[in-house]
Amino acid sequence: MADDCLFCGIVAGSIPSETIDSDERTVAFMDINPATAGHALVVPRKHSADLLDIGEEDLTAVTLAAQRLTKRMKEVLGADGINLINACGAIAWQTVFHFHIHVVPRYEDDPLKLPWIPEPGDSDEIAATAARLRGDNG
Ligand code: 5GP
Ligand code: ZN
């Protein structure tokens, strides 16, 4: 448990939450600022700051818990679809630095919008970035 970590407090039960699922490695609870009805968060019990910090076993467990919730939200809430969202780093909108996956049920009439405008990219730039990511030329 990390000092002053909100989600460590929720996992420990010292900060109240609407818990909806838990297992040996994970806890899932409702987000207090829901993007849609049913918006939940899945966290590892063990503190890790973000996607770069979390261990493989916890990442696997959190992902499986998110899939479990996805099924439940479709069955119980009648969700038409689900977004899994993870923010890694403040610039990527992370505000709580205990790893979490947002499980956001989507409904045909919900107000959410894609946060970027899809436009064709420059194919040379795409290829150059791909080469850097592959590690071509050194
Ligand atoms: P992030 O911005 O890091 O991707 O997501 C953090 C999430 O935690 C936000 O969606 C925010 O609404 C949620 N949150 C912040 N404080 C609390 C809290 O005290 N309880 C619960 N259940 N959720 C919280
Ligand atoms: Zn924590």
Side-chain angles (χ1 to χ4, degrees):
M1 172 160 176
D3 290 344
D4 299 329
C5 172
L6 177 65
F7 290 172
C8 280
I10 287 177
V11 168
S14 55
I15 294 173
S17 72
E18 289 292 344
T19 301
I20 50 176
D21 184 65
S22 66
D23 61 25
E24 276 179 10
R25 286 185 175 270
T26 72
V27 177
F29 53 90
M30 304 305 282
D31 196 298
I32 48 163
N33 303 301
T36 63
H39 179 177
L41 302 168
V42 189
V43 306
R45 289 181 181 276
K46 184 179 159 206
H47 181 86
S48 55
D50 59 24
L51 183 60
L52 297 171
D53 191 36
I54 190 170
E56 283 185 15
E57 284 178 310
D58 274 349
L59 182 58
T60 301
V62 171
T63 305
L64 290 173
Q67 185 191 48
R68 198 157 65 229
L69 266 187
T70 293
K71 291 175 183 165
R72 187 109 183 109
M73 286 173 178
K74 291 206 84 163
E75 283 165 16
V76 175
L77 304 178
D80 300 307
I82 306 282
N83 283 117
L84 298 187
I85 300 169
N86 169 252
C88 181
I91 197 70
W93 308 328
Q94 187 173 6
T95 59
V96 177
F97 290 84
H98 178 130
F99 179 87
H100 51 281
I101 297 178
H102 296 257
V103 185
V104 183
R106 301 299 308 275
Y107 306 96
E108 276 177 16
D109 58 352
D110 77 41
L112 300 192
K113 300 261 181 279
L114 198 64
W116 66 87
I117 300 166
E119 283 178 15
D122 179 274
S123 56
D124 289 341
E125 264 184 48
I126 293 170
T129 307
R132 289 175 63 200
L133 289 170
R134 281 193 300 266
D136 295 355
N137 305 321

Short mmCIF file of all heavy atoms in Angstrom, two decimals, residues 1-11 43-49 96-99, ligand 2:
data_model
loop_
_atom_site.label_atom_id
_atom_site.label_comp_id
_atom_site.label_asym_id
_atom_site.label_seq_id
_atom_site.Cartn_x
_atom_site.Cartn_y
_atom_site.Cartn_z
N MET A 1 0.84 -1.19 0.00
CA MET A 1 0.00 0.00 0.00
C MET A 1 0.88 1.25 0.00
O MET A 1 1.80 1.36 0.78
CB MET A 1 -0.91 -0.01 1.24
CG MET A 1 -1.67 1.28 1.43
SD MET A 1 -3.11 1.03 2.48
CE MET A 1 -3.70 2.72 2.59
N ALA A 2 0.54 2.17 -0.91
CA ALA A 2 1.31 3.42 -0.96
C ALA A 2 0.61 4.47 -0.09
O ALA A 2 -0.61 4.57 -0.09
CB ALA A 2 1.39 3.90 -2.40
N ASP A 3 1.42 5.22 0.65
CA ASP A 3 0.86 6.31 1.47
C ASP A 3 0.14 7.29 0.57
O ASP A 3 0.59 7.59 -0.52
CB ASP A 3 2.00 7.05 2.20
CG ASP A 3 2.61 6.18 3.27
OD1 ASP A 3 1.98 5.17 3.64
OD2 ASP A 3 3.73 6.49 3.71
N ASP A 4 -0.97 7.81 1.06
CA ASP A 4 -1.70 8.87 0.35
C ASP A 4 -2.25 8.44 -1.01
O ASP A 4 -2.47 9.29 -1.86
CB ASP A 4 -0.82 10.12 0.16
CG ASP A 4 -0.39 10.70 1.48
OD1 ASP A 4 -1.14 10.57 2.46
OD2 ASP A 4 0.72 11.26 1.54
N CYS A 5 -2.39 7.12 -1.23
CA CYS A 5 -2.97 6.69 -2.52
C CYS A 5 -4.46 6.40 -2.31
O CYS A 5 -4.83 5.55 -1.51
CB CYS A 5 -2.26 5.45 -3.05
SG CYS A 5 -3.08 4.77 -4.52
N LEU A 6 -5.27 7.14 -3.08
CA LEU A 6 -6.72 7.01 -2.97
C LEU A 6 -7.18 5.56 -3.21
O LEU A 6 -7.99 5.02 -2.45
CB LEU A 6 -7.34 7.95 -4.01
CG LEU A 6 -8.84 7.96 -4.17
CD1 LEU A 6 -9.52 8.47 -2.91
CD2 LEU A 6 -9.22 8.81 -5.37
N PHE A 7 -6.68 4.94 -4.27
CA PHE A 7 -7.18 3.60 -4.61
C PHE A 7 -6.63 2.54 -3.66
O PHE A 7 -7.31 1.54 -3.40
CB PHE A 7 -6.88 3.26 -6.07
CG PHE A 7 -7.70 4.07 -7.06
CD1 PHE A 7 -7.45 4.00 -8.42
CD2 PHE A 7 -8.76 4.87 -6.63
CE1 PHE A 7 -8.21 4.74 -9.33
CE2 PHE A 7 -9.52 5.62 -7.54
CZ PHE A 7 -9.24 5.54 -8.88
N CYS A 8 -5.44 2.75 -3.09
CA CYS A 8 -4.99 1.84 -2.01
C CYS A 8 -5.96 1.94 -0.84
O CYS A 8 -6.28 0.93 -0.19
CB CYS A 8 -3.57 2.19 -1.56
SG CYS A 8 -2.26 1.55 -2.64
N GLY A 9 -6.45 3.16 -0.57
CA GLY A 9 -7.42 3.35 0.51
C GLY A 9 -8.73 2.63 0.21
O GLY A 9 -9.34 2.03 1.11
N ILE A 10 -9.16 2.67 -1.05
CA ILE A 10 -10.39 1.96 -1.42
C ILE A 10 -10.18 0.45 -1.31
O ILE A 10 -11.04 -0.27 -0.76
CB ILE A 10 -10.83 2.39 -2.84
CG1 ILE A 10 -11.41 3.81 -2.78
CG2 ILE A 10 -11.83 1.40 -3.43
CD1 ILE A 10 -11.82 4.40 -4.12
N VAL A 11 -9.04 -0.04 -1.78
CA VAL A 11 -8.75 -1.48 -1.67
C VAL A 11 -8.75 -1.91 -0.20
O VAL A 11 -9.30 -2.96 0.16
CB VAL A 11 -7.40 -1.82 -2.35
CG1 VAL A 11 -6.95 -3.24 -1.99
CG2 VAL A 11 -7.50 -1.65 -3.86
N VAL A 43 -8.89 -2.24 -10.40
CA VAL A 43 -7.52 -1.94 -9.93
C VAL A 43 -6.88 -3.20 -9.36
O VAL A 43 -7.57 -4.09 -8.87
CB VAL A 43 -7.53 -0.83 -8.84
CG1 VAL A 43 -8.25 0.41 -9.32
CG2 VAL A 43 -8.13 -1.33 -7.52
N PRO A 44 -5.55 -3.25 -9.41
CA PRO A 44 -4.86 -4.32 -8.67
C PRO A 44 -4.87 -3.98 -7.19
O PRO A 44 -4.81 -2.81 -6.81
CB PRO A 44 -3.44 -4.28 -9.24
CG PRO A 44 -3.25 -2.86 -9.68
CD PRO A 44 -4.61 -2.38 -10.12
N ARG A 45 -4.94 -5.01 -6.33
CA ARG A 45 -4.85 -4.76 -4.88
C ARG A 45 -3.50 -4.16 -4.53
O ARG A 45 -3.40 -3.29 -3.67
CB ARG A 45 -5.03 -6.08 -4.11
CG ARG A 45 -6.45 -6.61 -4.15
CD ARG A 45 -6.56 -7.90 -3.34
NE ARG A 45 -7.92 -8.40 -3.40
CZ ARG A 45 -8.92 -7.98 -2.61
NH1 ARG A 45 -8.69 -7.08 -1.68
NH2 ARG A 45 -10.13 -8.49 -2.75
N LYS A 46 -2.46 -4.67 -5.20
CA LYS A 46 -1.09 -4.20 -4.92
C LYS A 46 -0.85 -2.89 -5.67
O LYS A 46 -1.14 -2.80 -6.87
CB LYS A 46 -0.10 -5.27 -5.38
CG LYS A 46 1.33 -4.98 -5.08
CD LYS A 46 2.20 -6.14 -5.57
CE LYS A 46 3.62 -5.65 -5.76
NZ LYS A 46 4.35 -6.44 -6.74
N HIS A 47 -0.31 -1.91 -4.99
CA HIS A 47 -0.09 -0.61 -5.63
C HIS A 47 0.91 -0.71 -6.78
O HIS A 47 1.99 -1.26 -6.64
CB HIS A 47 0.43 0.41 -4.62
CG HIS A 47 0.65 1.76 -5.24
ND1 HIS A 47 -0.35 2.69 -5.36
CD2 HIS A 47 1.75 2.31 -5.82
CE1 HIS A 47 0.11 3.77 -5.98
NE2 HIS A 47 1.39 3.56 -6.27
N SER A 48 0.50 -0.18 -7.94
CA SER A 48 1.46 0.12 -9.00
C SER A 48 0.96 1.40 -9.63
O SER A 48 -0.25 1.65 -9.71
CB SER A 48 1.57 -1.02 -10.02
OG SER A 48 0.32 -1.34 -10.53
N ALA A 49 1.88 2.23 -10.09
CA ALA A 49 1.50 3.58 -10.50
C ALA A 49 0.75 3.59 -11.83
O ALA A 49 -0.23 4.33 -12.00
CB ALA A 49 2.74 4.46 -10.60
N VAL A 96 -5.22 9.63 -11.22
CA VAL A 96 -4.97 8.83 -10.01
C VAL A 96 -3.86 7.85 -10.36
O VAL A 96 -4.01 7.03 -11.28
CB VAL A 96 -6.24 8.08 -9.55
CG1 VAL A 96 -5.92 7.20 -8.34
CG2 VAL A 96 -7.35 9.08 -9.20
N PHE A 97 -2.77 7.92 -9.60
CA PHE A 97 -1.58 7.17 -10.00
C PHE A 97 -1.47 5.84 -9.26
O PHE A 97 -0.47 5.52 -8.62
CB PHE A 97 -0.34 8.08 -9.85
CG PHE A 97 -0.38 9.17 -10.89
CD1 PHE A 97 -1.11 10.33 -10.67
CD2 PHE A 97 0.22 8.98 -12.13
CE1 PHE A 97 -1.21 11.30 -11.66
CE2 PHE A 97 0.12 9.95 -13.12
CZ PHE A 97 -0.59 11.11 -12.89
N HIS A 98 -2.56 5.10 -9.37
CA HIS A 98 -2.64 3.68 -9.00
C HIS A 98 -3.29 3.05 -10.23
O HIS A 98 -4.42 3.44 -10.58
CB HIS A 98 -3.48 3.50 -7.73
CG HIS A 98 -3.68 2.08 -7.27
ND1 HIS A 98 -3.44 1.68 -5.97
CD2 HIS A 98 -4.13 0.97 -7.93
CE1 HIS A 98 -3.73 0.38 -5.85
NE2 HIS A 98 -4.15 -0.07 -7.02
N PHE A 99 -2.61 2.11 -10.87
CA PHE A 99 -3.08 1.58 -12.16
C PHE A 99 -4.57 1.24 -12.10
O PHE A 99 -5.05 0.64 -11.13
CB PHE A 99 -2.30 0.32 -12.53
CG PHE A 99 -2.76 -0.28 -13.83
CD1 PHE A 99 -2.22 0.15 -15.02
CD2 PHE A 99 -3.77 -1.25 -13.86
CE1 PHE A 99 -2.67 -0.38 -16.23
CE2 PHE A 99 -4.22 -1.77 -15.06
CZ PHE A 99 -3.66 -1.33 -16.24
ZN ZN B 2 -2.26 2.71 -4.59
#
